[in-house]
Amino acid sequence: MKKDILGVGIDDLPLEEAVAAGCALLEQPGCHYVVTPNPEFLLTAKKNDAFREVLNAADLSLPDGIGVIYAAKLLGRPLKRRAPGVDFAQGLMERLSQSEKKLFLLGAKPGVAEQAAENLCGRYPGLNICGVSDGYFKDDAPVVEKIRVTKADVVFVCLAAPKQELWMAKNGPETGAALLVGLGGCLDVFAGTVQRAPEGWQKAGMEWLYRLIKEPSRFGRMAKLPLVLVDAIAARFSGK
């Protein structure tokens, strides 16, 4: 059962259970999608009704950012732990590499998805990446058709929020895929163009700070994140 964190439902699942839930969705009829809310999602969803509705309609909603965990505690609705999108994707690919399911990579700059595919196939022998497409397109239809003809079972949609979530909700069924996962900048990580924080930083919940040090241009975005905690405190005292 999802917990309401500032108007967005979040599944309270440890990573291993989240991966198992994702695999279970693959075996169910129809098209399903996964979202990975971080504090920026919550701030955007507060003002964007369409985005909030799409997040709340997701089959699986995983707490990606440490700010979501802190907000949940302040609201008195604690979540067990983070389930970062990149870790969920890795767990899912491990399972896919042991099956006949096919994966399509969508997003990032031209050439990034191709490099990510090469790296991932080396890391997960048996992983079937059936196609890639960059995120620089204006018309959805050719991309949807490209995915459909590959008969992909899973699509990693890396177009940044809220575009990727709206895209999955709108186009998912037409792709023919069983599961779509919104993963932001994960293809850059998989391609090696962006370095993820060392494990110690991840465990300390300081991955955001590591990225800020590496990418100072993110300061404007990061400066807004404490607003999520302010909203959580306000909601707690107002009884919402």
Side-chain angles (χ1 to χ4, degrees), residues 140-160:
D140 291 347
V143 178
V144 170
E145 178 63 13
K146 185 175 182 179
I147 297 170
R148 190 186 67 78
V149 298
T150 66
K151 300 186 183 300
D153 299 287
V154 181
V155 184
F156 286 173
V157 184
C158 304
L159 304 175

Side-chain angles (χ1 to χ4, degrees), residues 192-211:
T193 58
V194 170
Q195 184 180 3
R196 194 178 180 195
E199 188 174 351
W201 290 68
Q202 295 176 38
K203 289 182 177 180
M206 300 296 284
E207 196 165 359
W208 63 272
L209 179 58
Y210 182 87
R211 288 198 65 186

Side-chain angles (χ1 to χ4, degrees), residues 3 60 114 139:
K3 293 186 177 181
L60 197 57
E114 287 85 351
D139 186 359

Side-chain angles (χ1 to χ4, degrees), residues 1-14 35 37 42 55-56 58-63 68-69 71-81 240:
M1 181 180 294
K2 289 182 170 62
K3 293 186 177 181
D4 186 317
I5 310 300
L6 297 176
V8 175
I10 306 288
D11 286 291
D12 189 15
L13 295 174
V35 297
L42 301 184
L55 290 178
N56 285 328
D59 297 272
L60 197 57
S61 180
L62 307 176
V68 177
I69 302 299
K73 288 182 179 179
L74 289 170
L75 287 165
R77 302 162 195 163
L79 298 167
K80 294 182 180 71
R81 62 179 70 94
K240 293 182 180 180

Side-chain angles (χ1 to χ4, degrees), residues 202-234:
Q202 295 176 38
K203 289 182 177 180
M206 300 296 284
E207 196 165 359
W208 63 272
L209 179 58
Y210 182 87
R211 288 198 65 186
L212 182 59
I213 293 171
K214 290 289 186 178
E215 302 175 61
S217 61
R218 295 173 60 88
F219 180 79
R221 292 171 58 187
M222 293 296 183
K224 299 177 183 178
L225 302 190
L227 295 175
V228 170
L229 305 185
V230 173
D231 285 348
I233 293 170

